[in-house]
Amino acid sequence: MQERDFPEDFVWGAATCPPCCEGETVSDWGKLSAPDGSVPDDGPHHWRRYRYDFRAMADLGLTAYRFGIDWARLQREPNAPLAREDTYRYMEILADLRSHGIEPWVTLYHHAMPRWALKAGGWLNREMPHWFADFARRIADATDGEVLRWIPVHEPQFSCFARHAWDALPGGEWGRLDHVRRAFGNMAHGHRLAAAAVRRRLPGAKIGLSLPGGCFFPHRRWHPGDRLAAGIADWLLNRYGLRQFGRPDFVMLRTGDELRLRAFDTLSLGSGVSPSLPVRMRQGGGGDGFSRCRRTSAAAWLRRLRAPVYLVGHGDATLPDGGLHSLLASYSGSAAVAGFFYDPLLDGFDVARGLAAGGGLLRVDFHGRERRRELRAFARPFAGVVRTGRLHTLAKKERRHG
């Protein structure tokens, strides 16, 4: 037998974003429109067609699925009982996942909130953490032990910046860094309260922390203002800010891009190499000294957490069809990584790019009423890596020849 590149217990999974793929939107995303004119309800309708998607996941050999439970669907006002019909649908989703041998990893807040919460100020409202904890408690009661791994808040740094600094989400603002700090503090408080509520109901639950794939970088390395802005944001939201979330049982880390800040004129999201990955993963790019310094510091922080790290790779230009094996090769053999989740599972709605973003393991025909799915070309080789636990000859050739 050939030696495995990944250990036996390595977790292979996929991930989705509820407002991007479910359809029948009732959250604050219902008023969003992408530059191509599409809206969230034009997406793949995963809310109705999840059974096919789960069969495809099982065929690929995936054993874990990170998805969100849409707060807006289940609570129509603060501290209200869960909507019965939609709660039953989520229980059916959990049962269908289990029938295929796929473990559910549940996210409770994935950038979208109920419209009544947005009208009340969202995470700027001091009551929001308590409303969120009530929702978490009710979900834990409803699932009744079906879910072991929970992520209360998904990528809190990105969520706060997207809403209060980039004006990219409903109720957003431009450049209000004071609101970023305030929302981030309330979000951390809500995370702690929700984690405590879940653990009271489910003592064996694992509470994780989902992070965007990078520290903050100056948009222009030579610009003192950009370097100062990036340093302040990194300290506020990473080095100091994440301490407010407590010690997680596991960490999910998105790879492939970084947050770049300008001091005065704009705040932008630029593609690049994640500086939050441990150096020994040998991720390519980011060759300047500033990136190496930040990457080393982030690796030390991750090691101090002493928690398993699960990488989340997303399928845009940073993960082209032909380079999937090369990406996995850069992670193989690293003791710090316990699993890899492909994101997204299927093509969906993107705020910045609409339906044209693509990149999912399943290609969706958005022009047809049935939203038919088909496997992308790289999905089968990916399944081969998942099933065998080792990289194929093609992948090793790619690694050897750069």
Side-chain angles (χ1 to χ4, degrees):
M1 292 183 62
Q2 298 188 28
E3 183 181 356
R4 294 177 61 94
D5 293 299
F6 299 92
E8 291 279 356
D9 58 351
F10 196 84
V11 176
W12 295 97
T16 54
C17 164
C20 299
C21 71
E22 283 189 352
E24 302 179 29
T25 309
V26 294
S27 69
D28 59 343
W29 280 48
K31 298 181 179 180
L32 282 179
S33 177
D36 65 353
S38 62
V39 297
D41 284 350
D42 295 330
H45 299 175
H46 181 62
W47 180 245
R48 298 288 178 183
R49 306 180 188 277
Y50 62 87
R51 289 185 175 86
Y52 176 88
D53 301 332
F54 296 163
R55 286 199 300 271
M57 287 181 63
D59 291 342
L60 293 173
L62 303 180
T63 58
Y65 178 49
R66 192 199 73 190
F67 71 104
I69 291 182
D70 193 349
W71 186 4
R73 288 190 189 277
L74 300 185
Q75 277 193 320
R76 305 304 166 85
E77 59 183 20
N79 304 321
L82 300 182
R84 180 175 299 179
E85 183 177 346
D86 291 333
T87 301
Y88 286 162
R89 173 60 59 85
Y90 277 119
M91 297 307 104
E92 291 173 357
I93 288 174
L94 292 176
D96 200 58
L97 280 171
R98 292 291 188 185
S99 70
H100 290 292
I102 301 172
E103 181 186 3
W105 296 39
V106 167
T107 303
L108 296 177
Y109 177 78
H110 197 128
H111 305 325
M113 66 178 70
R115 295 177 184 178
W116 54 261
L118 180 64
K119 291 179 180 178
W123 288 104
L124 297 177
N125 191 322
R126 292 183 179 180
E127 293 299 315
M128 186 74 162
H130 301 282
W131 297 336
F132 183 59
D134 174 79
F135 169 64
R137 176 185 62 81
R138 294 177 187 273
I139 290 295
D141 287 339
T143 57
D144 194 26
E146 286 294 311
V147 180
L148 174 63
R149 297 181 183 272
W150 300 79
I151 301 170
V153 177
H154 176 72
E155 297 183 2
Q157 304 102 314
F158 176 82
S159 184
C160 291
F161 261 89
R163 196 176 295 271
H164 299 291
W166 297 325
D167 190 19
L169 293 177
E173 304 164 289
W174 185 262
R176 290 299 303 268
L177 298 183
D178 56 333
H179 283 185
V180 170
R181 184 175 68 87
R182 181 175 162 190
F184 190 79
N186 286 337
M187 197 174 285
H189 187 37
H191 174 98
R192 294 195 306 272
L193 292 178
V198 171
R199 284 194 173 109
R200 279 195 298 269
R201 179 63 180 82
L202 307 170
K206 303 291 185 182
I207 307 298
L209 189 58
S210 179
L211 303 177
C215 302
F216 294 88
F217 273 62
H219 190 80
R220 298 159 291 187
R221 287 183 298 157
W222 52 267
H223 196 289
D226 288 6
R227 294 175 70 92
L228 178 61
I232 291 175
D234 182 58
W235 177 85
L236 180 65
L237 298 182
N238 284 339
R239 300 295 176 259
Y240 168 75
L242 288 177
R243 297 178 188 175
Q244 303 176 66
F245 286 78
R247 183 179 293 276
D249 295 319
F250 63 93
V251 175
M252 301 200 78
L253 192 67
R254 180 162 55 91
T255 67
D257 58 16
E258 60 193 21
L259 299 173
R260 298 190 178 190
L261 300 186
R262 289 180 184 267
F264 307 112
D265 49 349
T266 184
L267 295 169
S268 61
L269 187 67
S271 63
V273 176
S274 167
S276 293
L277 298 179
V279 176
R280 61 176 175 273
M281 291 182 189
R282 307 184 306 280
Q283 178 76 345
D288 60 277
F290 191 83
S291 299
R292 285 197 298 270
C293 178
R294 284 293 175 86
R295 195 161 57 243
T296 303
S297 176
W301 175 78
L302 285 173
R303 285 193 293 271
R304 284 197 300 271
L305 287 178
R306 297 180 180 178
V309 177
Y310 297 89
L311 299 173
V312 181
H314 57 93
D316 58 10
T318 64
L319 198 61
D321 293 4
L324 180 62
H325 284 112
S326 296
L327 177 69
L328 294 178
S330 66
Y331 301 142
S332 64
S334 174
V337 180
F340 180 86
F341 285 68
Y342 191 94
D343 181 25
L345 168 64
L346 66 167
D347 295 349
F349 173 80
D350 184 271
V351 176
R353 294 170 292 181
L355 301 175
L361 285 172
L362 303 179
R363 187 194 308 274
V364 178
D365 177 17
F366 293 112
H367 300 292
R369 183 177 179 181
E370 296 80 10
R371 298 294 194 272
R372 294 187 182 277
R373 285 96 150 106
E374 62 178 4
L375 288 175
R376 273 199 158 82
F378 62 80
R380 290 300 181 188
F382 176 63
V385 177
V386 171
R387 293 184 181 281
T388 63
R390 54 187 173 84
L391 299 167
H392 294 177
T393 303
L394 173 62
K396 294 181 178 179
K397 286 182 179 178
E398 288 179 1
R399 179 168 53 182
R400 221 173 14 246
H401 296 97

